[in-house]
């Protein structure tokens, strides 16, 4: 678990790749589950060490398929639990997809090296969705029709993840997204799960605790990306800002824009106390750098990138950025620091919460499998996930709520001298959730 640290601790940039100790591979596992509603598709199951090697295919076009003699095979033989990975390996979000791939595979390597779980080892096939809803749904369907695939991991954005609701419902297969944060994602399907934390909670924290209480700001200028994610973020933020009595002026921009000067000119005229950029990270530095070049002296705040070192490295002013974040790589946490060093050596860039959540997602599936009393099926994985007790991952505490989502607490972090430091820890504002 990421320990709560006092203000002023800095993230020290690492350059050497390390390998995690074997102890990192094993976590305490708990939980149980079962049950199926009438009318759902037949269960697909893994043949266990003491079970017959049969897999029931999912229902199609309202009819059940007969039992097959197919046994689940993988790189290490029978009793391999196969996972389907959905990730944008190319396109605008490819950095996130590549982070997913590295996190997924590392966790599986560790789990298998430690002997697997209850006689099972794990395998994953990762396919490129390009952050496209149709592509993701097509790939999810192909995975769901593969009797060996027990659960889906991914996709990246909430909008793309939501496109797979009918697929997951029809085939009765879990989709555990590391990063879907929309408040309406998990409730769409009983098979939907996410561990990023709900974005409406982050927007609430930003408006009430970062801007109003910590900065004492009253007038807020906002630039947000014109996408489902950006509109969703701004909508949640504006709702809370109105409750807090904050005055908000906002402008949108396209994900492919390069010149932000017209937007900056309009917002600068509002004479705000703080300038907030809502973007997953790609354009945060570009917008703030152009604001600096225009001579706009104002406090910079971001929603979306978290404590991203990539953003910091691109800033012209490395002492003017504040964010709300649920994730902090504490240099005094040896386990997490070793993981971050290993990731940077593997990926070529420092990790954010996104690949860390991908890594934790695999361990959550493994914990669910360990706590299944009986055959491992798609439905038993769903029930075991839902009933897992609190789990301490590298991203912190994870406990699924009834709808398959989690809530996280946030801290206030800022850039000082090109490094992140904690201004207020997880306790700050936690009583407001």
């Amino acid at each position: 678990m990421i320990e709560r640290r006092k203000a002023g601790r800095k993230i020290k940039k690492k350059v050497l790749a390390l390998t995690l100790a074997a102890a990192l591979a094993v976590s305490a596992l708990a939980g149980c589950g079962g049950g199926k509603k009438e009318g759902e598709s037949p269960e697909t199951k893994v043949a266990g060490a003491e079970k017959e090697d049969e897999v029931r295919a999912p229902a199609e076009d309202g009819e059940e398929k007969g039992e097959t003699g197919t046994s689940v095979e993988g790189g290490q033989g029978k009793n391999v639990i196969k996972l389907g990975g959905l990730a944008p390996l190319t396109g605008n979000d490819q950095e996130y997809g590549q982070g997913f791939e590295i996190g997924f595979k590392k966790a599986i390597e560790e789990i298998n090296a430690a002997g697997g779980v209850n006689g099972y080892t794990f395998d994953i096939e990762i396919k490129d969705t390009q952050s496209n809803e149709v592509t993701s749904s097509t790939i999810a369907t192909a995975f769901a029709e593969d009797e060996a695939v027990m659960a889906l991991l991914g996709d990246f954005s909430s909008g793309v993840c939501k496109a797979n609701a009918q697929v997951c419902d029809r085939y009765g297969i879990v989709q555990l997204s590391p990063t879907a944060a929309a408040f309406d994602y998990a409730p769409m399907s009983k098979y939907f799960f996410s561990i990023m934390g709900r974005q409406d909670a982050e927007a609430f924290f930003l408006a009430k605790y970062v801007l109003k209480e910590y900065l004492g700001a009253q007038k807020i200028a906002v630039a947000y990306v014109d996408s489902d994610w950006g509109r969703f973020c701004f909508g949640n933020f504006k709702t809370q800002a109105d409750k807090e009595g904050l005055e908000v002026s906002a402008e949108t921009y396209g994900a492919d824009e390069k010149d932000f000067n017209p937007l900056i000119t309009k917002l600068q005229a509002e004479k705000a106390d703080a300038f907030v950029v809502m973007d997953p990270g790609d354009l945060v530095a570009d917008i703030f750098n152009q604001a600096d070049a225009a001579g706009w002296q104002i406090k910079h705040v971001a929603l979306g990138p978290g404590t991203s070192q990539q953003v910091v490295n691109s800033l012209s002013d490395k002492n003017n950025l504040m964010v709300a974040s649920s994730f902090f790589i504490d240099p005094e946490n040896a386990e997490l620091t070793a993981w971050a060093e290993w990731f940077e050596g593997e990926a070529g860039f420092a990790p954010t919460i996104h690949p860390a959540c991908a890594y934790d997602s695999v361990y959550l599936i493994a914990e669910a499998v360990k706590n299944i009393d009986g055959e491992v099926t798609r439905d038993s994985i769903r029930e075991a996930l839902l009933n897992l007790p609190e789990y301490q991952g590298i991203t912190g505490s994870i406990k699924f709520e009834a709808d398959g989502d989690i809530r996280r607490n946030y801290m206030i972090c800022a850039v000082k001298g090109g490094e992140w430091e904690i201004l207020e820890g997880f306790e700050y504002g936690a009583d407001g959730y």
Side-chain angles (χ1 to χ4, degrees):
M1 177 180 181
I2 302 173
E3 298 177 3
R4 296 172 177 175
R5 302 296 183 183
K6 296 181 179 179
R9 274 182 192 152
K10 297 182 178 181
I11 298 174
K12 300 175 182 177
K13 186 177 180 182
K14 307 293 182 179
V15 294
L16 297 177
L18 301 177
T19 302
L20 286 177
L24 181 60
V26 184
S27 300
L29 306 174
C32 59
K36 190 171 187 66
K37 290 186 179 180
E38 182 179 353
E40 291 180 353
S41 58
E43 294 180 353
T44 300
K45 63 187 178 182
V46 172
E50 300 179 357
K51 306 296 180 181
E52 70 276 14
D53 289 336
E54 292 183 339
V55 177
R56 287 181 62 88
E60 187 171 356
D61 298 328
E63 295 182 3
E64 282 194 4
K65 291 183 178 180
E67 294 184 0
T68 74
T70 306
S71 59
V72 177
E73 299 285 346
Q76 302 181 39
K78 293 183 180 180
N79 307 324
V80 174
I81 293 176
K82 183 178 177 181
L83 305 173
L86 306 168
L89 302 178
T90 60
N92 291 336
D93 296 327
Q94 66 178 356
E95 180 180 306
Y96 304 109
Q98 291 166 3
F100 273 21
E101 182 175 33
I102 294 169
F104 288 155
K105 290 184 175 180
K106 180 63 172 178
I108 285 178
E109 288 174 5
E110 290 175 356
I111 292 166
N112 290 345
V117 173
N118 284 357
Y120 296 107
T121 55
F122 294 80
D123 190 18
I124 188 166
E125 181 180 3
I126 303 169
K127 294 188 177 182
D128 181 13
T129 66
Q130 301 178 323
S131 274
N132 180 277
E133 295 178 8
V134 174
T135 303
S136 185
S137 184
T138 300
I139 294 172
T141 301
F143 277 140
E145 290 177 343
D146 180 349
E147 299 166 345
V149 176
M150 292 290 106
L152 306 178
L153 295 181
D155 207 317
F156 172 64
S157 72
S158 296
V160 175
C161 288
K162 288 191 284 187
N164 298 332
Q166 291 185 352
V167 174
C168 292
D169 285 342
R170 180 183 182 189
Y171 292 95
I173 188 169
V174 161
Q175 176 178 267
L176 171 53
S177 171
T179 53
F183 78 96
D184 58 346
Y185 159 70
M188 287 186 69
S189 170
K190 62 182 285 187
Y191 295 97
F192 274 6
F193 291 81
S194 178
I195 63 168
M196 186 66 174
R198 285 175 44 159
Q199 198 281 325
D200 52 340
E202 183 179 357
F204 166 90
F205 185 87
L206 184 73
K208 181 176 177 63
Y209 293 108
V210 178
L211 293 169
K212 183 178 180 180
E213 293 197 7
Y214 191 86
L215 289 178
Q218 179 61 38
K219 298 183 68 175
I220 315 299
V222 177
Y224 64 95
V225 62
D226 188 14
S227 67
D228 288 344
W229 183 90
R231 290 185 291 272
F232 177 75
C233 288
F234 178 72
N236 285 318
F237 170 80
K238 183 65 164 56
T239 297
Q240 189 62 39
D242 289 344
K243 292 179 181 179
E244 302 300 327
L246 302 179
E247 299 178 41
V248 177
S249 300
E251 295 289 335
T252 63
Y253 58 89
D256 297 325
E257 281 191 40
K258 303 296 182 183
D259 182 7
F260 302 99
N261 284 296
L263 173 154
I264 289 167
T265 299
K266 290 180 182 178
L267 291 176
Q268 188 174 7
E270 299 295 330
K271 302 188 182 303
D273 304 314
F275 179 29
V276 179
V277 172
M278 299 181 179
D279 191 281
D282 293 347
L283 298 177
V284 169
D286 290 347
I287 296 172
F288 286 138
N289 289 345
Q290 290 186 33
D292 289 339
W296 189 11
Q297 297 182 352
I298 191 170
K299 187 64 184 177
H300 295 168
V301 181
L303 187 157
T307 50
S308 168
Q309 191 62 41
Q310 294 90 284
V311 170
V312 175
N313 292 342
S314 299
L315 289 174
S316 57
D317 183 350
K318 300 186 186 299
N319 291 286
N320 185 16
L321 179 60
M322 185 177 293
V323 300
S325 181
S326 62
F327 183 65
F328 177 70
I329 300 173
D330 190 333
E332 295 188 20
N333 183 323
E335 181 181 270
L336 181 56
T337 301
W339 186 90
E341 290 172 341
W342 162 81
F343 180 91
E344 185 166 357
E346 192 77 12
F349 55 87
T352 60
I353 191 173
H354 305 98
C357 281
Y359 176 89
D360 275 351
S361 295
V362 176
Y363 271 98
L364 286 165
I365 295 291
E367 294 211 351
V369 170
K370 185 168 185 178
N371 289 279
I372 293 173
D373 184 13
E375 293 177 296
V376 176
T377 69
R378 291 174 173 181
D379 269 331
S380 66
I381 288 176
R382 186 194 78 85
E383 292 293 338
L385 281 175
L386 199 57
N387 289 286
L388 281 177
E390 185 175 351
Y391 167 72
Q392 300 299 329
I394 62 169
T395 62
S397 175
I398 299 171
K399 178 69 176 76
F400 289 112
E401 297 184 334
D403 63 1
D405 218 333
I406 74 166
R407 288 185 180 270
R408 292 186 183 270
N409 284 346
Y410 296 90
M411 50 193 166
I412 302 176
C413 298
V415 177
K416 298 290 180 66
E419 296 182 335
W420 287 105
E421 68 174 42
I422 297 175
L423 301 180
E424 295 289 346
F426 287 115
E427 296 88 352
Y428 188 79
D431 57 346
Y433 287 93

